[in-house]
C-alpha cells in the first residue's frame, strides 16, 4: 500500500500560510528519514522570485544528512526555535540552491515538526530583504509551535484516512474475488486485484499437486505463459518454505534471504527485491501459496502489507475452494448431459443427426441475436436433450412406420412435460427446463402444453422451436417424405406470427438464405 500524502499536503499549505503572516520569501519542510537524512517534503515561495512548480520539481528528491543541515538542536529538542542571521547561517546544499533562485538568504527561522509524538522534521522560513522584526520573530515562534501541534494532528488524521481507504480497498478486493466461477478466471482475478492493491511488480499463485510439488497455476506479466505449468519441488524457495510451515513470510530484501531461489528471476528477467508470501489454506490443509513481489528498485513490503495479505489469502482460499467445487460440479453436469444424450441416441438411431442439426441452428441464431455465453450454453444443452422423454415413449409409437393415430399423437405431445418432469429431479437443470417444456408453444397461443403466446414463451424456447421444426420438416419420417429446405423455409415464412415469433422467423430466413444462397 502506498503512504498517504495527506499530512504532507497540509504542511505544504501551512508553509504558505505562515509565509504570508510573517512576510517570508520562501519556506521548506524537511522530514527526517530512516537513514538519518532530511528530505524536502513541502516547499513554497513568494512571487516574483520563482515559479513554485519549477522549484518543487527541482528539489522534490533532495536529501541532506542531518549532520550537515545545522539543525541538530531543533531535532533533538534542545531548541524550540532557531533564528540565524547573516554570517551565522550555515551554508547547506539546499539553502545554497534556494539562494541561487530567490537571492542571498539573510535570515533563517526554524521550528520542529511533530509526527508520532516525536520531532520528525523542521520548518524553515527564509528572508532575503533584511532581518525579520522582533514582533515577526515572536509571531513565527508562536505559529511555528502551533504548526508542530497541528502537523501531528494532521499526520494522525492522514494515517486514519489511509487505514480507512485500505479497509475499503480490502473489502472491494475480497468482494471482487469472492464469487465462484471457473478456476482460471478466479485465479486471474486474484492476481489482478493483488497487483493493484499492493502496488506490486509481480504475483504468482502456486497450488500443490498429489506429489507435493507446487505448480504455477497463475502468473502475472508477459512471462506468464512461460511460467505456467512449471513446478517447484517441496520446500524449494520462499514459497516452498511457506507451504511447508503454513506461515506467512515477509522478506524485505531477498539478497539477505537464504531460501530465496533466483531460478524464476532468470525466467522473468526481473530482479526481485522484496517478497511477501502467504499460504492458501482450506480448513487446516495448505493447498498452495500466493506470492507477491516488488522489484529491487521499489519500496520493500512492510509488516502492514503482510497482515493485509493474510486477510486476502484467506478469502482467496475460500474462493479457490468454491471454484474447485464449481469445476467438479460442472464436470459432473457435463458428464450427466453426455450420458443422457447417449441414452437418447441408443433409443432412436436417427436422433443424433437431428440433434446435431438443431444445435447448430440454435447456435447460429443465438450468436446472431448476441446472446450471452451462459444463454448460448443453456440453449445448446436444451437442444441436446429436448427429447429425453423418448426414453419413456413406447417403441410401438417411436418406431411406427405408418402415420400415428390421434391417441398416439396425444401421447407424443406430452413429451415436453414428461421431459421436464424427468429433469426436475436434478436442480442443475432448473434453467434448462422452461426451454424444453415450452419449445412446442406457438406464438399465437395455439401450441402445447399450456397454450402460451408471444412474450409468455421464453425467448430460448422460441429459438429452439424454429430450429427443431425446420430440422423435423427436412428429415424423412417412416410415414412421410422430407421437405426440401426451400419448402420448409416457405412454411416458416407462412407461419411467421402464427407458430413462430416474426423477429426470430425473419432472422432464421436471412440466416438460411446466407447459408444456402441458391436455395
Amino acid at each position: 500500500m502506498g503512504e498517504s500524502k495527506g499530512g504532507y499536503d497540509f504542511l505544504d499549505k501551512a508553509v504558505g500560510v505562515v509565509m504570508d503572516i510573517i512576510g517570508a520569501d520562501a519556506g521548506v519542510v524537511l522530514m527526517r528519514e530512516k537513514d538519518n537524512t532530511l528530505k524536502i517534503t513541502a516547499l513554497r515561495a513568494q512571487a516574483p522570485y520563482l515559479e513554485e512548480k519549477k522549484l518543487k520539481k527541482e528539489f522534490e528528491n533532495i536529501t541532506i544528512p542531518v549532520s550537515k543541515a545545522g539543525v541538530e538542536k531543533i531535532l533533538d529538542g534542545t531548541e524550540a526555535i532557531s533564528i540565524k542571521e547573516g554570517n551565522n547561517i550555515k551554508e547547506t546544499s539546499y539553502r545554497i540552491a534556494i539562494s541561487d533562485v530567490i537571492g542571498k538568504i539573510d535570515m533563517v527561522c526554524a521550528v520542529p515538526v511533530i509526527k508520532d509524538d516525536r520531532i520528525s522534521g523542521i520548518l524553515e522560513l527564509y528572508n532575503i530583504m533584511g532581518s525579520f522584526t522582533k514582533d515577526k520573530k515572536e509571531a513565527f515562534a508562536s505559529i511555528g509551535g502551533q504548526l508542530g501541534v497541528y502537523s501531528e494532528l494532521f499526520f494522525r488524521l492522514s494515517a486514519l484516512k489511509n487505514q480507512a481507504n485500505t479497509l475499503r480497498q480490502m473489502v472491494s478486493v475480497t468482494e471482487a474475488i469472492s464469487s465462484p466461477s471457473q478456476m482460471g478466471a478466479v485465479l486471474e482475478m486474484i492476481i489482478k486485484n493483488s497487483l493493484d492493491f499492493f502496488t506490486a511488480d509481480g504475483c504468482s499463485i502456486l497450488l500443490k499437486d498429489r506429489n507435493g510439488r507446487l505448480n504455477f497455476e497463475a502468473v502475472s506479466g508477459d512471462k506468464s505463459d512461460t511460467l505456467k505449468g512449471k513446478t517447484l519441488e517441496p520446500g524449494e524457495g520462499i514459497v516452498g518454505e511457506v507451504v511447508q510451515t503454513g506461515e506467512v513470510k515477509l522478506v524485505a530484501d531477498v539478497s539477505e534471504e537464504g531460501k530465496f531461489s533466483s531460478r524464476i528471476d532468470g525466467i522473468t528477467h526481473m530482479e526481485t527485491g522484496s517478497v511477501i508470501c502467504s499460504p492458501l489454506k482450506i480448513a487446516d490443509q495448505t493447498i498452495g501459496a500466493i506470492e507477491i513481489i516488488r522489484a529491487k528498485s521499489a519500496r520493500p513490503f512492510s509488516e502492514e502489507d503482510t497482515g493485509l495479505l493474510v486477510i486476502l489469502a484467506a478469502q482467496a482460499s475460500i474462493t479457490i475452494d468454491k471454484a474447485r467445487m464449481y469445476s467438479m460440479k460442472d464436470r459432473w453436469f457435463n458428464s450427466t448431459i453426455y450420458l443422457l444424450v447417449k441414452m437418447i441416441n441408443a433409443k432412436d438411431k436417427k436422433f443424433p443427426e437431428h440433434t446435431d442439426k438443431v444445435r447448430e441452428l440454435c447456435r447460429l441464431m443465438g450468436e446472431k441475436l448476441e446472446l450471452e455465453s451462459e444463454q448460448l450454453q443453456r440453449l445448446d444443452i436444451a437442444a441436446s436433450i429436448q427429447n429425453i422423454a423418448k426414453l419413456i415413449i413406447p417403441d410401438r409409437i417411436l418406431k411406427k412406420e405408418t402415420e400415428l393415430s390421434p391417441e398416439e399423437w396425444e401421447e407424443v405431445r406430452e413429451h415436453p412435460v414428461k421431459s421436464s418432469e424427468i429433469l426436475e429431479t436434478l436442480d442443475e437443470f432448473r434453467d434448462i427446463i422452461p426451454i424444453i417444456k415450452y419449445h412446442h408453444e406457438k406464438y399465437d397461443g395455439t401450441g402445447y402444453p399450456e397454450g402460451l403466446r408471444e412474450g409468455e414463451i421464453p425467448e430460448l424456447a422460441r429459438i429452439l422451436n424454429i430450429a427443431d421444426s425446420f430440422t423435423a420438416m427436412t428429415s424423412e419420417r417412416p410415414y412421410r417424405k422430407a421437405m426440401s429446405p426451400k419448402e420448409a423455409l416457405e412454411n416458416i415464412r407462412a407461419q411467421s406470427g402464427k407458430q413462430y415469433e416474426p423477429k426470430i422467423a425473419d432472422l432464421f430466413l436471412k440466416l438460411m438464405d446466407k447459408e444456402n444462397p441458391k436455395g
Side-chain angles (χ1 to χ4, degrees), residues 28-55:
V28 298
V29 171
L30 300 101
M31 296 300 292
R32 195 172 199 162
E33 301 288 293
K34 290 182 179 179
D35 59 359
N36 208 32
T37 60
L38 294 170
K39 182 178 180 180
I40 295 177
T41 56
L43 190 152
R44 298 295 292 268
Q46 302 282 15
Y49 299 113
L50 56 108
E51 294 181 22
E52 282 191 12
K53 288 183 180 179
K54 180 179 178 182
L55 186 63

Side-chain angles (χ1 to χ4, degrees), residues 289-439:
I290 177 170
E291 182 182 49
I292 302 177
I293 67 173
R294 284 182 181 154
K296 191 173 183 179
S297 58
R299 176 176 60 85
F301 289 111
S302 65
E303 291 291 347
E304 179 187 2
D305 293 321
T306 306
L308 292 169
L309 178 60
V310 170
I311 298 172
L312 186 143
Q315 182 60 60
S317 299
I318 294 170
T319 307
I320 289 171
D321 188 42
K322 287 181 179 179
R324 279 181 165 177
M325 296 298 293
Y326 184 91
S327 297
M328 290 174 60
K329 188 176 181 180
D330 196 40
R331 288 195 296 272
W332 175 87
F333 185 51
N334 289 335
S335 298
T336 301
I337 294 169
Y338 177 77
L339 178 61
L340 290 174
V341 171
K342 293 285 284 185
M343 292 171 66
I344 296 168
N345 292 348
K347 182 79 172 181
D348 186 349
K349 302 296 184 184
K350 295 181 180 180
F351 187 69
E353 184 179 351
H354 176 93
T355 300
D356 290 342
K357 287 180 180 179
V358 174
R359 291 177 64 192
E360 177 63 13
L361 292 175
C362 284
R363 182 189 66 80
L364 289 171
M365 285 189 285
E367 290 177 352
K368 195 68 176 177
L369 289 167
E370 298 182 347
L371 299 180
E372 298 289 337
S373 59
E374 288 186 3
Q375 290 179 296
L376 288 171
Q377 185 182 34
R378 289 200 294 270
L379 182 59
D380 183 64
I381 293 171
S384 301
I385 60 175
Q386 57 166 312
N387 288 316
I388 190 174
K390 282 189 175 183
L391 295 174
I392 57 175
I393 294 177
D395 285 347
R396 61 179 174 78
I397 295 178
L398 197 61
K399 297 180 179 180
K400 187 175 181 180
E401 296 189 1
T402 58
E403 191 169 353
L404 300 181
S405 67
E407 292 79 14
E408 290 169 332
W409 268 118
E410 193 63 33
E411 194 168 346
V412 168
R413 283 162 63 96
E414 292 178 2
H415 86 272
V417 173
K418 292 188 178 297
S419 294
S420 301
E421 290 173 350
I422 294 171
L423 296 175
E424 280 174 356
T425 59
L426 298 171
D427 186 59
E428 287 76 14
F429 287 101
R430 63 183 178 277
D431 294 327
I432 311 299
I433 290 172
I435 308 171
I436 294 175
K437 185 174 183 179
Y438 300 120
H439 79 281

Side-chain angles (χ1 to χ4, degrees), residues 478-495:
Y479 52 85
R480 65 161 174 81
K481 291 184 178 181
M483 289 185 185
S484 68
K486 184 176 181 180
E487 290 172 324
L489 292 174
E490 286 300 324
N491 178 279
I492 289 173
R493 185 176 285 106
Q495 289 296 316

Side-chain angles (χ1 to χ4, degrees), residues 354 358 361-362 365 379 382-383 386 435-436 438-444 447-448 452 457-473 492 495 498-501 504 508:
H354 176 93
V358 174
L361 292 175
C362 284
M365 285 189 285
L379 182 59
Q386 57 166 312
I435 308 171
I436 294 175
Y438 300 120
H439 79 281
H440 281 296
E441 298 286 3
K442 295 184 180 181
Y443 195 70
D444 62 3
Y448 61 90
L452 302 183
I457 308 168
E459 181 185 24
L460 300 185
R462 285 176 260 152
I463 296 171
L464 179 56
N465 178 8
I466 199 167
D468 186 46
S469 296
F470 178 81
T471 305
M473 285 188 285
I492 289 173
Q495 289 296 316
K498 299 175 184 177
Q499 180 174 347
Y500 312 113
E501 178 188 349
I504 295 177
F508 183 79

